[in-house]
Amino acid sequence: MIAPLRFVLLAAALLAPLTLGACQDKVRRADCPVGQVCLEYGNNTEPQTLDPQKSNLVDEASIIGDLMMGLTTDAPDGSPVPGMATRWETSPDGLVWTFHLRAAKWSDGRPVTADDFVFGLRRTVDPKTASVYAWLLYLIENGQAVNEGKAPLETLGVRALDPRTVQIRLVHPAPYLPEIAKHQSWFPAPRHVVEQYGDGWVQPGRYVSNGAFKLAAWRLGDRITAVRNPHFFDAANVCLDRINYYPSPDVVSAERRVARGELDLNTRFQSNRYRRLQKTMPGVPRTGLSLATGYLAFNTRDVKAFQDIRVRRALSMALDREFITQKLMGAGQQPAYSFVPPTTANYVSDLPRLRWADMSYPARQAEARRLLAEAGFTAKRPLKLTITTPNNTDTLLLMEAVQADWRAVGVQVSIAQNEAGVAFAAYRNRDFEVGSMSWYGDFNDPVTFLGLLKSDTGAQNYGDYRNPDYDALLGRADQEPDLERRARILAQAEQRMLDDEGIAPLFFVVNRNLVSRRVTGWQDNAPNFHRARYLCLTPGQR
């Protein structure tokens, strides 16, 4: 049975879109030069940066991936294919990878060289860059030591054998390296521009790219404009002449703009609108289980209560994941009692689970109250906490449900709303108590999730989960060449983290895109990577 407060939440979720829908925007489609093909792209949030080595957010990566290209890149189905490298080979022990570059140019006509990759990788691990993704390069020889300031930058295991050959030396075999190499933290950097302008190289008029598009303008709060890069090696097969990327945090407004043809696509829609959208815009809403998990992080570094496993377990047990996914969201999300999504490659079929996952919800609530009381939190001395959250509609509704669940077991909860960039800056700086977030896999392997919670990961291990046994299991998995044995070791590590209540997994994410029927070349895929070089527009019905 749904408690009365749940009826209120559900009613609010259903009625809010109707209220918003009463307001009509007066925005029209941006003019497109005669004879050109222009894509109007709703991209959820305003990027904080377009610097590949400093980027952190999915919505930044969507744009950077159109401007820049790594050794490998995304195929339409999200899988890795040759990018700047046409081919590569590995040593018999899997520790040395040699990439052979194609003849390619930066958008200013300068050649893309192996030295640009060496420079870009060094820039990612350079402590001065403060890249939150530096940990993705720890599998490179001396990557961690360099990033921690314990070794010179020049000792990073990357070198240019000649202008078109890059050699990378690893600390352990990584058969998934082609997946990682398409991540922005592995992108080259135009040394001749970065050294001239420093961090200011990413401004329009200075930004030099090697991808299918180049940066033309950035009007803060309005749009980012990219145009076709004539120096791109495959420019002849790029259909689009221009892309306008719009921040679209108001997903209902973005939905109306897609319906009117002002936007050709938007990278999110409100979950509880899915069934309605299927009727009003058939073929436009595109969903599928994502390579992503929504979860809550507890700041165990600074909040004493969260250093007690009984408190973390009680808060996780009190969450009604079935109500959240089936009633509140309703777009196909699945309750999560583990961290690694079922869509992940190179993993076990029988996912690890929170040990108490099969308890009934009333039994879990009772146990949560008992654990809190045992930890010293009672009706006379309740646990008080604040959830810091991005202020998009779906997340706010979700956090209101979490707030109701925790209040039901005697916890006093407030919600602090922030713009997404502000919220994630707070997470990185540990300026929060409970954080609401989703982790989207940077590559299709369980390590992209489990590596997040290693003791040495840094800023993105938002709750500062630390367990030497967990770290040791991930280390063992790194050294295991057999993929099945490796998967079992990784599953042991995940079970250890779940037993520690290292995070509170909430749900497995569903990709929710609105894609006009005019857009061609779009292919749904779990990682939700869609490079604009494959897209085009056809005239006709929206």
Side-chain angles (χ1 to χ4, degrees), residues 172 469-482 485-486 488-490 492:
H172 60 75
D469 293 336
Y470 178 83
D471 295 346
L473 285 166
L474 291 186
R476 276 182 55 200
D478 284 341
Q479 302 301 326
E480 177 52 67
D482 184 276
R485 287 197 293 268
R486 173 180 178 267
R488 289 195 294 272
I489 296 169
L490 290 172
Q492 290 178 46

Side-chain angles (χ1 to χ4, degrees), residues 15 164 226 298 321 330 392 416 471:
L15 291 174
R164 286 173 56 184
F298 304 114
R321 294 161 174 83
N392 65 70
D471 295 346

Side-chain angles (χ1 to χ4, degrees), residues 172-191:
H172 60 75
Y176 50 87
L177 190 66
E179 280 275 359
I180 296 183
K182 61 190 179 76
H183 188 265
Q184 67 265 19
S185 62
W186 286 63
F187 283 1
R191 183 171 192 159

Side-chain angles (χ1 to χ4, degrees), residues 387-444:
I387 304 172
T388 298
T389 179
N391 61 356
N392 65 70
T393 307
D394 270 328
T395 305
L396 289 177
L397 287 171
L398 172 63
M399 288 307 102
E400 287 171 359
V402 170
Q403 182 183 48
D405 288 340
W406 285 349
R407 283 178 173 171
V409 295
V411 179
Q412 294 184 10
V413 188
S414 58
I415 298 175
Q417 306 174 25
N418 296 278
E419 295 292 334
V422 175
F424 277 90
Y427 301 156
R428 292 193 297 272
N429 296 326
R430 305 303 187 259
D431 186 20
F432 76 101
E433 293 179 343
V434 180
S436 165
M437 54 204 68
S438 296
W439 183 255
Y440 286 77
D442 295 307
F443 52 97
N444 198 353

Side-chain angles (χ1 to χ4, degrees), residues 28-303:
R28 61 183 179 86
R29 186 179 178 92
D31 292 332
C32 182
V34 176
Q36 292 194 4
V37 181
C38 302
L39 182 74
E40 307 303 311
Y41 190 129
N43 193 44
N44 194 41
T45 62
E46 181 79 50
Q48 302 298 300
T49 182
L50 294 179
D51 188 327
Q53 281 77 42
K54 294 190 173 188
S55 169
N56 178 46
L57 303 177
V58 171
D59 301 323
E60 295 166 350
S62 297
I63 302 173
I64 294 170
D66 289 336
L67 299 173
M68 304 287 280
M69 181 178 287
L71 294 165
T72 58
T73 189
D74 299 287
D77 66 359
S79 63
V81 292
M84 287 290 103
T86 58
R87 60 187 177 87
W88 51 88
E89 60 264 357
T90 63
S91 60
D93 61 5
L95 297 180
V96 181
W97 289 64
T98 305
F99 292 87
H100 303 276
L101 305 184
R102 66 176 76 246
K105 294 180 179 180
W106 292 102
S107 56
D108 63 359
R110 294 277 291 267
V112 178
T113 68
D115 183 63
D116 292 318
F117 278 92
V118 174
F119 180 71
L121 291 167
R122 286 179 177 175
R123 190 166 178 263
T124 296
V125 296
D126 189 338
K128 295 178 182 176
T129 305
S131 172
V132 295
Y133 271 116
W135 63 275
L136 269 187
L137 277 65
Y138 283 7
L139 78 165
I140 300 178
E141 186 178 275
N142 288 326
Q144 183 169 0
V146 170
N147 186 240
E148 293 176 349
K150 299 176 181 177
L153 203 55
E154 295 74 19
T155 63
L156 183 68
V158 183
R159 61 177 178 148
L161 300 184
D162 60 50
R164 286 173 56 184
T165 309
V166 180
Q167 185 184 83
I168 302 177
R169 299 186 304 279
L170 307 182
V171 295
H172 60 75
Y176 50 87
L177 190 66
E179 280 275 359
I180 296 183
K182 61 190 179 76
H183 188 265
Q184 67 265 19
S185 62
W186 286 63
F187 283 1
R191 183 171 192 159
H192 62 288
V193 178
V194 176
E195 290 187 340
Q196 180 180 359
Y197 296 112
D199 289 343
W201 79 274
V202 295
Q203 297 176 16
R206 296 177 179 175
Y207 199 108
V208 175
S209 58
N210 69 325
F213 298 89
K214 61 180 183 177
L215 183 65
W218 187 346
R219 293 162 56 182
L220 197 64
D222 181 14
R223 72 188 73 172
I224 291 172
T225 301
V227 297
R228 182 165 28 174
N229 176 9
H231 292 294
F232 180 56
F233 70 87
D234 196 32
N237 292 313
V238 176
C239 169
L240 300 176
D241 296 290
R242 188 193 74 196
I243 311 170
N244 282 325
Y245 303 90
Y246 299 89
S248 53
D250 182 344
V251 290
V252 177
S253 174
E255 171 194 319
R256 295 199 299 267
R257 295 183 68 189
V258 172
R260 294 200 298 264
E262 295 168 2
L263 292 178
D264 298 305
L265 62 91
N266 196 63
T267 54
R268 187 167 298 178
F269 60 82
Q270 194 165 307
S271 285
N272 55 35
R273 301 271 288 175
Y274 179 53
R275 293 183 181 88
R276 174 183 175 135
L277 288 168
Q278 286 179 303
K279 296 177 181 178
T280 60
M281 302 168 67
V284 174
R286 310 282 284 265
T287 64
L289 200 60
S290 180
L291 190 69
T293 305
Y295 68 102
L296 299 176
F298 304 114
N299 184 348
T300 59
R301 189 191 73 176
D302 302 315
V303 182

